[in-house]
């Protein structure tokens, strides 16, 4: 497929930007085939007439979804004829171990597929949206007073498919009973309306929600998913995210062990960003709840928590998502060694890291141990346990490692506004490490030089911070270009960059005059 995933993949491989992996090439070909198939596909967007609805249950929304008034002892419902996909409707479900490139491939597919009605979202975040919409439907309209749970699900599904019929889910997983209850209902409506699903997961469909509470309610969803998605095991053995970990710098963002010196280091990193301006007890609101943030930097959206603030309390994905959206950098102090005795904290920590990672949040933390041994499980527990936390920890380890990588940190700083980014630094007294951090933002192609477009971005950020706007005049650009490009070769070296920013008073004066 010209201009598709496989072509782009081979181009990146030729440039040396990715490692060769025949298994990923197979996936890229499958994604290209799917993209071509979807160009000729059109969802029907309507459902067949429904039979008379059953008498509404007395168990509220989730009671209705259970299909009876006694959810503690559910029985699998007798399903009607299995829903069959329309021609061209079969999507793709890619599963494999942590770090096999699933998200990388999903992002490439989403970028290349020529469908406008599409949505790419982390599955945790999508399920939060589903529950929120159901709640609003149930409480927000008098016309829904006598609606059954099925009616509300159908309304939500109809709203969602109008927004996008190609649904691309990253990290497809089911960990909560509230999600498991609703899966078959919501997807049966979406599929009947014509939705196409592309998903990545670290589990095959048959292992989703394995050993979960009331799993018989969930299992009818599995054959439906397998009918509407081609399931493919990536089978890769290399965690590519581990290949980009920096080992030659001392600017740690994951600090271990958590002794007195390490605690002081974490405090010093936070204090440096805050520059003496800190707010206490700020609150973040989500779904009617308020999360207290112990400390926040006034000059940039940076938050400080202790592990206990986030994982000893009954918080979930929606709460962590609100934190990830509110703050571009999150400090977490005192992450302890974890065991199966702290299973609730482990589960919350896994969800927290998943959510911060998906939000591209910069994480700076201090922990008792490095990521791999941080969660200790005995051999006996590993052999006999059915806990999802043990299975999911590998993903958490890989993400904690990747969140220390140059690629992840560069992506995080480049996504910030100029005011948010520069607000973290005392521009008149920059350290050597500050210059490296600043360079990471502006050398956007990692070439080792700033071209004039990258230099203009620096000037725009400086103007935004200094004057409140980003309009760099031609006159100002030429004055600043002459001041930084000392050898007149049309590009800026790191030494020129460092020398230019070292005299920040002169830069301020120049910008004030223009």
């Amino acid at each position: 497929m010209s201009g598709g995933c496989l072509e782009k993949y081979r181009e990146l491989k030729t440039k040396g930007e990715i490692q060769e992996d025949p298994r990923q090439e197979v996936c890229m070909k499958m994604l290209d085939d799917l993209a071509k198939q979807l160009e000729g596909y059109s969802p029907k967007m309507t459902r067949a007439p429904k039979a008379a609805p059953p008498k509404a249950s007395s168990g509220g929304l989730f009671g209705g979804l259970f299909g009876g008034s006694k959810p503690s002892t559910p029985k699998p419902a007798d399903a009607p004829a299995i829903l069959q996909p329309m021609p061209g409707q079969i999507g793709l479900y890619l599963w494999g171990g942590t770090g096999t490139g699933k998200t990388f491939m999903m992002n490439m597919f989403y970028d290349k597929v020529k469908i406008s009605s599409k949505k790419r979202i982390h599955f945790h975040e999508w399920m939060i949206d589903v529950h929120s919409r159901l709640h609003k439907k149930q409480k927000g309209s008098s016309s829904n007073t006598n609606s059954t749970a099925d009616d509300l699900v159908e309304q939500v599904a109809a709203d969602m498919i109008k927004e996008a019929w190609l649904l691309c889910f990253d990290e497809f997983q089911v960990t909560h009973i509230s999600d498991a209850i609703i899966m078959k209902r919501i997807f049966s409506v979406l599929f009947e309306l014509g939705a196409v699903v592309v998903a990545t997961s670290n589990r095959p469909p048959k292992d989703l929600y394995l050993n979960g509470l009331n799993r018989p309610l969930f299992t009818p969803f599995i054959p439906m998913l397998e009918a509407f998605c081609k399931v493919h095991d990536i089978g890769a053995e290399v965690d590519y995210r581990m290949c980009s970990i920096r080992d030659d710098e001392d600017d740690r963002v994951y600090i271990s062990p958590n002794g007195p010196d390490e605690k002081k280091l974490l405090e010093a990193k936070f204090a440096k960003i805050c520059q003496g301006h800190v707010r206490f007890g700020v609150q973040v609101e989500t779904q009617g709840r308020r999360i207290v943030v112990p400390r926040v930097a006034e000059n940039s959206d940076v938050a400080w928590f202790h592990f206990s603030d986030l994982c000893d309390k009954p918080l979930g994905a929606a709460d962590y998502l609100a934190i990830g959206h509110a703050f571009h950098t999150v400090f977490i102090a005192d992450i302890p060694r974890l065991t199966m005795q702290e299973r609730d904290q482990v589960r919350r920590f896994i969800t927290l890291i998943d959510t911060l990672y998906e939000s591209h949040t910069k994480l700076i933390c201090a922990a008792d141990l490095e990521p791999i041994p941080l969660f200790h499980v005995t051999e006996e527990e590993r052999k006999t346990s059915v806990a999802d936390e043990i299975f999911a920890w590998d993903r958490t380890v890989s993400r904690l490692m990747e969140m220390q990588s140059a690629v992840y940190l560069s992506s995080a700083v480049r996504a910030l506004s100029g005011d948010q980014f520069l607000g973290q630094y005392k521009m008149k007294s920059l350290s050597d490490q500050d210059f490296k951090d600043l360079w990471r933002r502006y050398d956007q192609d990692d070439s080792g030089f700033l071209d004039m477009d990258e230099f203009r971005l620096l000037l725009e950020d400086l103007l935004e911070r200094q004057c409140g706007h980003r309009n760099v005049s031609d006159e100002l650009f030429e004055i600043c270009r002459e001041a930084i490009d000392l050898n007149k070769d049309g590009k800026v070296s790191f030494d020129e960059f460092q020398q230019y920013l070292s005299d920040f008073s002169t830069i301020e004066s120049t910008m004030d005059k223009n």
Side-chain angles (χ1 to χ4, degrees):
M1 179 177 175
S2 178
C5 297
L6 185 58
E7 181 178 305
K8 180 64 176 179
Y9 180 85
R10 288 173 174 168
E11 177 186 327
L12 293 173
K13 184 177 67 176
T14 300
K15 290 180 178 179
E17 297 183 21
I18 60 174
Q19 297 187 32
E20 180 177 4
D21 188 334
R23 288 158 290 202
Q24 287 189 349
E25 289 206 25
V26 170
C27 294
M28 291 298 180
K29 176 64 166 59
M30 295 174 71
L31 290 167
D32 277 345
D33 290 344
L34 176 58
K36 187 175 181 179
Q37 163 196 313
L38 294 178
E39 289 180 18
Y41 173 75
S42 179
K44 63 179 182 178
M45 305 294 282
T46 59
R47 298 187 70 197
K50 294 190 299 180
K55 184 179 179 181
S57 74
S58 59
L61 176 60
F62 285 115
L65 290 171
F66 267 113
S69 59
K70 296 181 179 180
S72 60
T73 57
K75 295 180 181 179
D78 292 331
I82 296 176
L83 188 64
Q84 294 297 323
M86 298 186 295
Q89 193 185 358
I90 296 178
L92 185 61
Y93 182 103
L94 297 174
W95 72 275
T98 302
T100 53
K102 299 186 296 292
T103 299
F104 161 71
M105 291 188 285
M106 171 68 84
N107 289 342
M108 189 177 293
F109 169 76
Y110 188 80
D111 181 56
K112 295 294 183 182
V113 66
K114 297 176 182 178
I115 301 296
S116 59
S117 182
K118 60 182 177 179
K119 185 170 189 176
R120 181 224 179 272
I121 191 168
H122 191 277
F123 194 71
H124 260 322
E125 190 173 348
W126 186 77
M127 285 306 306
I128 291 169
D129 187 30
V130 168
H131 289 292
S132 176
R133 293 186 191 221
L134 281 170
H135 182 74
K136 289 178 181 177
K137 291 284 185 186
Q138 186 184 36
K139 301 296 184 183
S141 173
S142 59
S143 63
N144 281 327
T145 302
N146 297 318
S147 295
T148 66
D150 278 340
D151 292 333
L152 298 179
V153 169
E154 182 173 346
Q155 292 173 31
V156 168
D159 290 343
M160 284 184 151
I161 202 167
K162 289 174 184 175
E163 298 168 8
W165 58 259
L166 175 58
L167 301 174
C168 300
F169 295 118
D170 200 21
E171 294 295 348
F172 199 102
Q173 56 184 314
V174 185
T175 57
H176 299 288
I177 181 61
S178 60
D179 295 346
I181 293 168
I182 202 172
M183 292 285 281
K184 182 175 182 294
R185 303 295 180 96
I186 188 78
F187 276 97
S188 65
V189 179
L190 287 170
F191 285 142
E192 187 175 352
L193 291 171
V196 176
V197 167
V198 180
T200 68
S201 180
N202 61 1
R203 291 188 171 197
K206 65 182 179 64
D207 288 345
L208 290 171
Y209 199 52
L210 193 64
N211 303 304
L213 179 66
N214 287 320
R215 192 173 189 254
L217 292 165
F218 173 78
T219 50
F221 169 69
I222 296 173
M224 178 190 297
L225 180 63
E226 292 175 332
F228 280 83
C229 290
K230 181 177 182 179
V231 179
H232 179 71
D233 177 4
I234 299 171
E237 301 166 354
V238 179
D239 186 340
Y240 295 103
R241 295 182 294 192
M242 303 294 244
C243 300
S244 61
I245 304 302
R246 295 168 295 145
D247 58 6
D248 58 347
E249 298 182 11
D250 59 6
D251 58 332
R252 289 181 292 166
V253 293
Y254 187 100
I255 301 167
S256 177
N258 189 27
D261 291 341
E262 289 77 15
K263 291 177 187 288
K264 289 179 182 178
L265 175 60
L266 191 70
E267 288 280 4
K269 286 177 177 287
F270 185 72
K272 182 180 178 181
I273 290 176
C274 294
Q275 301 171 31
H277 302 287
V278 183
R279 289 181 292 157
F280 297 90
V282 172
Q283 295 184 347
V284 174
E285 188 168 343
T286 175
Q287 297 184 350
R289 298 188 302 277
R290 292 183 177 180
I291 306 161
V292 176
V293 186
R295 285 187 275 170
V296 173
E298 287 189 352
N299 48 305
S300 194
D301 291 333
V302 179
W304 173 285
F305 295 93
H306 283 270
F307 175 87
S308 58
D309 298 322
L310 296 169
C311 299
D312 286 0
K313 299 176 181 179
L315 303 181
D319 305 295
Y320 301 139
L321 188 63
I323 292 170
H325 286 170
F327 303 102
H328 62 75
T329 299
V330 171
F331 281 74
I332 304 178
D334 300 321
I335 302 175
R337 179 179 182 266
L338 298 164
T339 69
M340 287 299 292
Q341 299 302 311
E342 297 84 34
R343 184 174 175 180
D344 286 345
Q345 288 90 336
V346 172
R347 175 175 51 78
R348 292 180 190 127
F349 187 66
I350 289 170
T351 303
L352 170 65
I353 297 305
D354 277 347
T355 309
L356 295 182
Y357 175 87
E358 189 64 23
S359 300
H360 305 291
T361 303
K362 180 178 179 180
L363 173 65
I364 305 176
C365 63
D368 283 355
L369 296 165
E370 291 296 321
I372 293 175
L374 185 63
F375 178 33
H376 177 72
V377 181
T378 67
E379 283 303 314
E380 185 63 22
E381 287 172 331
R382 194 174 296 277
K383 290 176 182 177
T384 60
S385 177
V386 295
D388 280 351
E389 290 78 11
I390 294 176
F391 186 91
W393 186 253
D394 286 345
R395 182 180 73 251
T396 302
V397 167
S398 186
R399 289 188 163 180
L400 285 171
M401 298 293 281
E402 187 189 356
M403 292 168 87
Q404 303 173 58
S405 72
V407 172
Y408 184 93
L409 293 172
S410 295
S411 175
V413 301
R414 291 167 187 172
L416 299 179
S417 69
D419 188 56
Q420 282 286 331
F421 176 67
L422 294 180
Q424 303 173 85
Y425 301 95
K426 287 185 177 180
M427 298 303 293
K428 292 184 179 179
S429 56
L430 294 170
S431 67
D432 288 345
Q433 188 56 54
D434 290 339
F435 284 116
K436 293 178 183 178
D437 292 341
L438 290 163
W439 182 260
R440 179 180 289 131
R441 174 176 173 89
Y442 299 110
D443 182 18
Q444 298 215 330
D445 58 1
D446 300 312
S447 65
F449 292 92
L450 303 189
D451 60 30
M452 290 301 101
D453 287 338
E454 291 168 330
F455 177 53
R456 182 178 288 276
L457 175 61
L458 167 63
L459 295 181
E460 289 172 345
D461 283 358
L462 292 171
L463 264 180
E464 181 180 348
R465 186 68 181 165
Q466 181 77 11
C467 306
H469 68 84
R470 300 178 63 84
N471 183 25
V472 179
S473 66
D474 292 341
E475 180 183 2
L476 177 60
F477 181 82
E478 285 302 317
I479 292 172
C480 295
R481 184 187 62 78
E482 290 184 6
I484 194 171
D485 187 12
L486 301 178
N487 61 5
K488 314 301 180 187
D489 63 353
K491 57 185 180 181
V492 178
S493 68
F494 178 78
D495 289 341
E496 290 173 325
F497 175 82
Q498 188 169 9
Q499 183 174 339
Y500 178 70
L501 290 179
S502 295
D503 190 8
F504 194 72
S505 295
T506 301
I507 296 174
E508 282 186 315
S509 177
T510 301
M511 291 189 169
D512 287 340
K513 291 177 181 177
N514 288 268

